[in-house]
């Protein structure tokens, strides 16, 4: 289980996250929603260890990891697909995958892991020797997702996986995420601005506004809107 | 080919290979932190001086070199921890490392002058003496030059294989491209940075010993010009490129020796900086500098 207790993130005077608590269980998808600047990325970065935590705790299966450096958290099974399509752009597709595998859990042999990725996204095999920076947006997102799953993570954080992609590609990406979450039974967290998109596949959702939780509940409930507080209003 | 030209060429290639080693050391810390250790010259000097000192205490030449390299590697860690890291993490300008690494180098130079004296010391013959030679294509070729060339080239190749073919080499490359992404992917960036400063210092130490072997003497001021020449080689070849370091080093070595031989020895080192200015004007990314791969 992934648990946040009263987590606050500050960049100097900027309060990006204020007292956020959350529990995410294995086998479930948690949607982190909110407008641009709401604090979604800060929340994820605090979990993977690259945001300044001012107060509160991050726990993985009960273990407090708040002060551990990012590579140690990665070794504990945290995989974070950062926003902005972060890849080693000069390295080839295959080198990106190899590197991710090398510093991951290595539950399977490299060849088998690569074969699995290529079976899922054949276009990545075709482009195996191409620099990652030269792929199309959709292909890059497939590679980013594959770089996280090839590490056999236990906690998967996906920051705006749909951003800037054509609707048909978004569908494909979300199909993959839903399947992977169901099969692997790990903790999955998705940050999105497009609330309905993420909520449709999520078991629980959490809406942030200026760093605070303004709405939380089961995915279904949030989609339909409960006790007059509609999802749309919380974005205003 | 006339003898004079041939001997200049060989000398140029030998020292050029050593400049390439220095450039490689500069590249290494540039990859991991985008900083250069300008104290490298002092590490070269210190390594050579310590070798002289240890072998004067009766230590075998190989052990003296090894001991000096260990000490220089430790200093490399110290430099990262106490001169580079504070400069990078402090708020305000991020160019503090230029002054702090250079300052630490000057400090080392001062310490060496205090404890070893500022007189030039004779450097012991490690493998061959200056009089040993073989005949190649009817030319006398100094064995010392050949050994220096062989050691430098072997190290450069080993380094290149490490960077290209090992996971750790790829990890270093990854850190140079996106340190934050490397961190969240579980690459121990801190340890790699520390390692890069150690390895860079060892390369500097080896370069110092090799140059001292060719020159025959060392003094505390030794190394200062050399690191600048290594810097010219690195920029000429393209900062961060290993092949560039090699070609840049050889170019600087050969051209400066030829100018020294045919024009004037006074111009020998100056010409390197003329080359630097020319390169910066014509091709600022260096001969093998790679443009960014990106697509919006
Ligand atoms: N590195 C940073 N330095 C200063 N402020 C930042 C930094 N990163 C984010 N912020 C600020 O923190 C707030 C939350 O940002 P972020 O977590 O990126 O939100 P979101 O991902 O929901 O768009 C914003 O006001 C943003 O400007
Ligand atoms: Mg964001």
């Amino acid at each position: 289980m992934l648990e946040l207790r009263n987590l606050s993130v500050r960049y100097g005077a900027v309060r990006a996250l204020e007292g956020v608590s959350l529990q995410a269980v294995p086998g479930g998808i948690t949607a982190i929603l909110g407008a641009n600047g709401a604090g979604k990325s800060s929340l994820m970065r605090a979990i993977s260890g690259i945001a300044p935590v001012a107060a509160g705790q991050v726990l993985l299966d009960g273990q407090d990891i708040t002060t551990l450096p990012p590579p140690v958290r990665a070794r504990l099974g945290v995989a974070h697909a950062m926003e902005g399509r972060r890849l080693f752009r000069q390295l080839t597709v295959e080198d990106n995958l190899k590197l991710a595998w090398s510093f991951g859990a290595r539950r399977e042999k490299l060849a088998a892991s690569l074969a699995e990725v290529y079976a899922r996204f054949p276009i990545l095999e075709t482009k195996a020797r191409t620099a990652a920076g030269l792929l199309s947006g959709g292909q890059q997102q497939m590679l980013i997702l594959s770089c996280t799953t090839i590490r056999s993570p236990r906690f998967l954080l996906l920051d705006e996986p749909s951003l800037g992609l054509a609707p048909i590609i978004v569908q494909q990406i979300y199909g993959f995420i839903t399947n992977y979450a169901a099969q692997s039974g790990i903790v999955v967290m998705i940050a999105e601005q497009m609330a309905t998109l993420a909520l449709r596949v999520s078991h629980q959702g959490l809406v942030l506004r200026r760093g605070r939780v303004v709405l939380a509940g089961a995915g279904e409930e949030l989609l339909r809107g409960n006790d007059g507080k509609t999802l749309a209003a919380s974005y205003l | 080919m006339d003898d004079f030209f041939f001997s200049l060429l060989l000398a140029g290639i030998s020292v050029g290979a050593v400049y390439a080693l220095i450039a490689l050391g500069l590249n290494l810390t540039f990859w991991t932190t985008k900083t250069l250790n300008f104290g490298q010259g002092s590490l070269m000097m210190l390594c050579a001086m310590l070798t002289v000192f240890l072998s004067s205490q009766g230590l075998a030449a190989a052990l003296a070199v090894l001991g000096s390299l260990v000490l220089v590697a430790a200093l490399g860690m110290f430099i990262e921890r106490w001169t580079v890291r504070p400069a990078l993490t402090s708020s305000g300008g991020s160019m503090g490392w230029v002054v702090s690494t250079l300052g630490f180098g000057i400090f080392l130079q001062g310490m060496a002058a205090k404890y070893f004296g500022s007189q030039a010391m004779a450097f012991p013959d490690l493998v061959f003496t200056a009089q040993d030679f073989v005949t190649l294509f009817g030319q006398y070729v100094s064995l010392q030059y050949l050994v220096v060339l062989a050691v430098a080239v072997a190290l450069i190749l080993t380094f290149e294989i490490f960077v290209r073919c090992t996971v750790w080499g790829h990890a270093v490359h990854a850190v140079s491209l996106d340190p934050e992404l490397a961190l969240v992917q579980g690459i121990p960036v801190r340890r790699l940075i520390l390692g890069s400063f150690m390895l860079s210092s060892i390369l500097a130490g080896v370069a110092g010993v090799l140059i001292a072997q060719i020159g025959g003497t060392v003094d505390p001021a030794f190394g200062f010009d050399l690191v600048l020449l290594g810097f010219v080689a690195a920029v000429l070849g393209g900062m961060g490129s290993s092949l560039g370091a090699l070609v840049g080093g050889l170019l600087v070595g050969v051209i400066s020796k030829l100018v020294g031989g045919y024009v004037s020895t006074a111009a020998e080192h100056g010409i390197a900086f003329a080359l630097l200015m020319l390169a910066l004007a014509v091709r600022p990314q260096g001969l093998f500098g790679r443009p960014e791969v990106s697509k919006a």
Side-chain angles (χ1 to χ4, degrees):
Chain A
M1 190 174 70
L2 194 165
E3 190 179 355
L4 307 182
R5 286 189 193 155
N6 275 315
L7 192 69
S8 299
V9 171
R10 279 180 213 151
Y11 306 97
V14 180
R15 291 164 181 247
L17 214 58
E18 281 287 302
V20 172
S21 296
L22 155 76
Q23 294 192 345
V25 293
I29 298 183
T30 303
I32 309 293
L33 308 169
N36 197 7
K40 304 180 296 296
S41 299
S42 299
L43 185 148
M44 293 197 156
R45 293 166 68 86
I47 297 171
S48 61
I50 49 174
V53 171
Q57 291 161 311
V58 181
L59 297 102
L60 298 185
D61 294 333
Q63 183 191 357
D64 187 346
I65 61 156
T66 319
T67 55
L68 295 182
V72 176
R73 302 183 194 210
R75 244 166 282 144
L76 288 174
V78 176
H80 182 182
M82 290 187 280
E83 82 185 317
R85 300 220 197 97
R86 292 278 279 276
L87 280 165
F88 298 115
R89 308 175 79 85
Q90 274 94 335
L91 301 187
T92 64
V93 168
E94 190 149 307
D95 280 345
N96 270 280
L97 289 167
K98 277 186 189 164
L99 203 58
W101 177 86
S102 301
F103 290 91
R106 300 197 191 200
R107 207 155 297 150
E108 281 176 81
K109 288 252 173 1
L110 175 63
S113 303
L114 282 176
E116 210 177 302
V117 168
Y118 291 153
R120 178 107 49 192
F121 297 118
I123 183 70
L124 293 184
E125 184 163 26
T126 320
K127 304 252 175 180
R129 310 254 166 272
T130 309
L134 297 175
L135 299 183
S136 74
Q139 292 162 356
Q140 286 186 1
Q141 195 59 56
M142 290 172 197
L143 178 56
I144 290 168
L145 285 176
S146 303
C147 281
T148 56
T149 58
I150 204 172
R151 311 182 59 232
S152 318
R154 295 194 301 134
F155 309 91
L156 181 58
L157 315 174
L158 305 173
D159 199 343
E160 307 215 31
S162 73
L163 195 69
L165 299 181
I168 179 122
I169 306 287
V170 172
Q171 251 179 36
Q172 193 185 352
I173 298 276
Y174 263 79
F176 168 71
I177 295 171
T178 327
N179 272 336
Y180 184 80
Q183 273 173 22
S184 62
I186 63 168
V187 174
V188 177
M189 206 178 259
I190 308 177
E192 276 291 356
Q193 292 192 47
M194 314 263 265
T196 45
L197 179 67
L199 281 177
R200 233 176 271 143
V201 302
S202 301
H203 302 87
Q204 64 168 347
L206 181 132
V207 185
L208 295 174
R209 189 176 164 200
R210 295 210 201 135
R212 293 179 188 277
V213 180
V214 289
L215 202 59
E220 280 287 294
E221 270 175 51
L222 289 183
L223 262 183
R224 274 186 260 112
N226 54 353
D227 50 277
K229 261 171 130 187
T230 65
L231 193 58
S234 63
Y235 269 78
L236 297 177
Chain B
M1 211 175 352
D2 77 89
D3 290 3
F4 186 55
F5 177 79
F6 187 80
S7 67
L8 286 177
L9 192 65
L10 182 69
I13 290 175
S14 292
V15 297
V18 180
Y19 298 158
L21 272 186
I22 304 169
L24 220 52
L26 290 171
N27 273 349
L28 195 56
T29 61
F30 183 75
W31 283 342
T32 55
T33 57
K34 299 280 180 287
T35 67
L36 304 171
N37 175 11
F38 285 112
Q40 281 237 11
S42 298
L43 293 178
M44 294 172 67
M45 174 275 296
L46 205 65
C47 194
M49 290 279 237
L50 274 171
T51 303
V52 174
F53 173 74
L54 289 178
S55 53
S56 77
Q57 300 298 303
L59 220 56
L63 281 180
V65 172
L66 209 66
S68 312
L69 284 176
V70 168
L71 200 108
V72 164
L75 276 174
M77 285 176 71
F78 182 89
I79 288 171
E80 195 279 329
R81 181 64 189 83
W82 298 106
T83 73
V84 176
R85 206 188 304 178
L88 288 182
T89 49
S90 73
S91 51
S94 55
M95 293 299 282
W97 54 268
V98 175
V99 179
S100 59
T101 59
L102 195 61
F104 187 70
I106 293 171
F107 167 76
L108 285 182
Q109 198 179 332
M111 294 301 279
K114 181 165 160 55
Y115 289 104
F116 298 124
S118 40
Q119 294 298 314
M121 299 198 282
F123 195 81
D125 292 321
L126 294 177
V127 187
F128 297 110
T129 71
Q131 279 75 45
D132 290 329
F133 62 86
V134 288
T135 327
L136 262 183
F137 312 115
Q139 306 282 344
Y140 293 131
V141 175
S142 154
L143 276 173
Q144 275 189 348
Y145 278 11
L146 281 187
V147 167
V148 166
L149 182 62
V151 171
V153 169
L155 265 177
I156 290 169
L157 285 180
T158 311
F159 185 85
E160 197 53 20
I161 288 171
F162 163 75
V163 169
R164 277 179 199 270
C165 302
T166 69
V167 172
W168 289 103
H170 289 162
V172 169
H173 195 187
V175 171
S176 76
L177 295 173
D178 189 339
E180 193 176 68
L181 183 56
L183 269 180
V184 302
Q185 290 210 346
I187 296 174
V189 174
R190 278 247 59 82
R191 257 188 289 156
L192 275 181
I193 291 177
L194 210 55
S196 73
F197 274 83
M198 281 176 68
L199 201 54
S200 157
S201 302
I202 290 173
L203 288 176
V206 173
V209 168
L210 293 180
I211 289 273
Q213 180 69 110
I214 293 181
T217 62
V218 275
D219 61 82
F222 161 98
F224 225 76
D225 296 353
L226 295 172
V227 76
L228 288 177
L229 292 174
F231 177 71
V232 173
V235 173
L236 205 60
M239 204 72 229
S241 156
S242 303
L243 181 63
L246 182 60
V247 174
L250 292 178
L251 270 179
V252 171
V254 169
I255 291 176
S256 58
K257 282 293 171 204
L258 288 180
V259 167
Y262 286 109
V263 185
S264 136
T265 43
E268 191 175 315
H269 282 179
I271 189 70
F273 298 99
L275 265 177
L276 176 67
M277 281 186 262
L278 187 72
L280 288 179
V282 177
R283 202 177 153 79
Q285 77 272 38
L287 293 170
F288 298 93
R290 268 181 303 180
E292 300 270 302
V293 175
S294 68
K295 188 173 165 183

